[in-house]
Amino acid sequence: MGDEHSLSPKDSFVFKLPKKSPLVLRMVVLMFVMVCAVYICSICLKQIGVVPRAGFLNVEVFERPCPEPNIEPWDIPYVHYPKPKTYSREECSCNPVRYFAILSMQRSGSGWFETLLNNHTNISSNGEIFSVKDRRANVSTIFETLDKVYNLDWLSSSSKNECTSAVGLKWMLNQGLMQHHEEIVEYFKTRGVSAIFLFRRNLLRRTISVLANSYDRDAKLLNGTHKSHTHSPKEAEILARYKPVINTTLLIGDLKKVQEMTTNALSYFNTTRHIFLYYEDVVKNRTRLDDVQEFLKVPKLNLKSRQVKIHHGQLSQHVQNWNEVQTTLKGTDYENFLLEDCRK
């Protein structure tokens, strides 16, 4: 006998949902899934370097780092992986390159020595670049030129392919090298450039070569053409016919200046990685070339040059006033230059 409007326990928990509720629920779930999917995709795209922009995909290419070379820790600063602006090293991009500079003086055998280095498959020495004054006008132009050489962007007849293992140049002491030695030493140490010192032991023989080359610059003995070096024995014979007269009044002072410049250069660049050579030693003992190749960390090859030596034999054959020269140098620190045999 209960009230007809009373609710049973079963009826008290029954609520009728609107007919459209399942559709709304599905839409909410779908929107949630879509938002999650977009978020996850954006995270993935950022990780692989793909960024949507204006309807296009900008794919960033990540370069694979070169493997660590198997070298001593002290040698790491001298190993480089240049990226030329003018071409691609392609498959050789991970071939390490070493930087060097031949530091020398005119008529000290540096031209012949450089042809030997360039005879090596993996070495590029780009010549006497700073003979052009504009390139050595100041420290900035010097560094710009060096950067171009060591970045493998300096193109010359000596340039090898993209697989060069050692690249450098020939640099005379009087071409801005001594004037800006502090900045250049710092550059060498910062950039990991190795120095190859090449000097002549017999400075009297060098003096004769300087005078003869200076004369030919004006006289042009070879059919009106001046040549500092020659590949022909006949041409070498013609050039050797000229016998200079040495100014004996200035001779000792000149020899002393050259000796002092050499000593100062060695002192200035003593803190750089370097090797010291005498031209005469390289001529007489070709194992010195093995030492250079080891210094540059390139495979040892039998290096050859087509250059022909101009002045052979005893110095007395190449000077007009030899007796006067002998009298001037006897009893001095330079007397040994009269006796030393430097034949090639």
Side-chain angles (χ1 to χ4, degrees):
M1 292 191 50
D3 191 343
E4 63 179 349
H5 297 291
S6 63
L7 297 175
S8 66
K10 180 177 180 182
D11 293 334
S12 62
F13 295 98
V14 176
F15 296 95
K16 291 186 179 181
L17 297 174
K19 292 183 179 181
K20 294 184 179 180
S21 294
L23 179 60
V24 173
L25 181 61
R26 290 192 187 97
M27 291 295 292
V28 171
V29 173
L30 180 61
M31 290 296 294
F32 178 77
V33 172
M34 289 178 64
V35 170
C36 291
V38 171
Y39 176 76
I40 294 173
C41 288
S42 65
I43 296 298
C44 293
L45 290 176
K46 288 181 180 178
Q47 290 182 345
I48 64 174
V50 182
V51 181
R53 184 182 300 169
F56 295 94
L57 292 180
N58 179 24
V59 181
E60 297 180 4
V61 179
F62 294 93
E63 295 185 4
R64 183 177 61 183
C66 295
E68 290 292 330
N70 185 22
I71 58 177
E72 297 293 333
W74 65 265
D75 203 22
I76 293 177
Y78 303 100
V79 174
H80 312 279
Y81 300 92
K83 297 179 180 179
K85 298 178 181 178
T86 52
Y87 64 93
S88 171
R89 295 189 72 205
E90 298 177 347
E91 70 274 9
C92 297
S93 59
C94 283
N95 283 24
V97 179
R98 293 174 183 268
Y99 304 157
F100 70 89
I102 304 169
L103 309 185
S104 187
M105 303 182 74
Q106 287 85 353
R107 314 312 296 175
S108 296
S110 60
W112 169 74
F113 178 76
E114 188 176 45
T115 62
L116 289 169
L117 293 188
N118 280 325
N119 186 238
H120 196 291
T121 309
N122 304 115
I123 300 177
S124 293
S125 189
N126 292 281
E128 201 171 317
I129 291 175
F130 289 109
S131 61
V132 179
K133 292 183 179 180
D134 289 345
R135 296 171 187 162
R136 63 175 196 264
N138 51 58
V139 172
S140 296
T141 58
I142 289 175
F143 287 175
E144 287 174 8
T145 303
L146 292 175
D147 287 345
K148 194 171 182 180
V149 171
Y150 294 132
N151 201 49
L152 301 184
D153 281 316
W154 191 274
L155 302 180
S156 70
S157 59
S158 302
S159 302
K160 299 295 196 301
N161 57 27
E162 58 271 13
C163 292
T164 293
S165 298
V167 63
L169 68 154
K170 187 173 64 168
W171 200 347
M172 302 295 103
L173 299 188
N174 62 353
Q175 294 174 349
L177 190 68
M178 302 294 281
Q179 180 182 355
H180 304 290
H181 67 270
E182 292 183 355
E183 295 90 343
I184 295 170
V185 166
E186 187 61 30
Y187 180 95
F188 278 19
K189 293 167 71 174
T190 303
R191 294 295 307 274
V193 179
S194 300
I196 302 175
F197 288 103
L198 179 70
F199 296 117
R200 206 153 188 167
R201 181 181 278 111
N202 192 324
L203 300 182
L204 179 59
R205 188 176 285 270
R206 174 186 176 273
T207 298
I208 295 171
S209 181
V210 168
L211 293 174
N213 185 66
S214 178
Y215 172 79
D216 185 69
R217 188 176 290 111
D218 296 324
K220 298 179 175 58
L221 300 176
L222 298 176
N223 297 321
T225 302
H226 168 62
K227 288 188 178 181
S228 296
H229 308 97
T230 179
H231 299 154
S232 163
K234 181 62 178 177
E235 290 182 347
E237 179 186 347
I238 294 173
L239 292 174
R241 291 174 188 170
Y242 170 72
K243 296 182 179 183
V245 175
I246 296 178
N247 187 332
T248 54
T249 303
L250 302 176
L251 180 57
I252 292 180
D254 289 344
L255 294 175
K256 186 176 181 180
K257 287 180 182 178
V258 173
Q259 208 167 47
E260 288 178 348
M261 183 177 288
T262 301
T263 301
N264 288 338
L266 292 172
S267 175
Y268 294 156
F269 288 83
N270 187 49
T271 57
T272 65
R273 180 175 182 264
H274 64 272
I275 185 174
F276 181 87
L277 305 168
Y278 276 121
Y279 163 76
E280 291 87 348
D281 294 342
V282 180
V283 169
K284 293 178 181 178
N285 185 3
R286 290 302 182 91
T287 60
R288 293 297 281 149
L289 289 175
D290 292 342
D291 296 337
V292 175
Q293 293 177 82
E294 173 61 28
F295 179 72
L296 296 176
K297 305 299 181 183
V298 295
K300 292 182 182 179
L301 302 179
N302 182 25
L303 305 180
K304 298 179 181 180
S305 172
R306 293 176 53 238
Q307 276 195 17
V308 178
K309 187 174 176 64
I310 296 173
H311 297 101
H312 292 272
Q314 299 297 321
L315 289 177
S316 56
Q317 302 173 8
H318 303 291
V319 181
Q320 287 190 42
N321 58 332
W322 179 248
N323 290 336
E324 189 179 348
V325 171
Q326 279 187 308
T327 302
T328 301
L329 296 184
K330 278 186 177 180
T332 71
D333 293 338
Y334 308 106
E335 183 177 5
N336 62 313
F337 295 161
L338 299 170
L339 306 173
E340 187 177 353
D341 183 8
C342 300
R343 289 177 295 178
K344 187 170 180 178

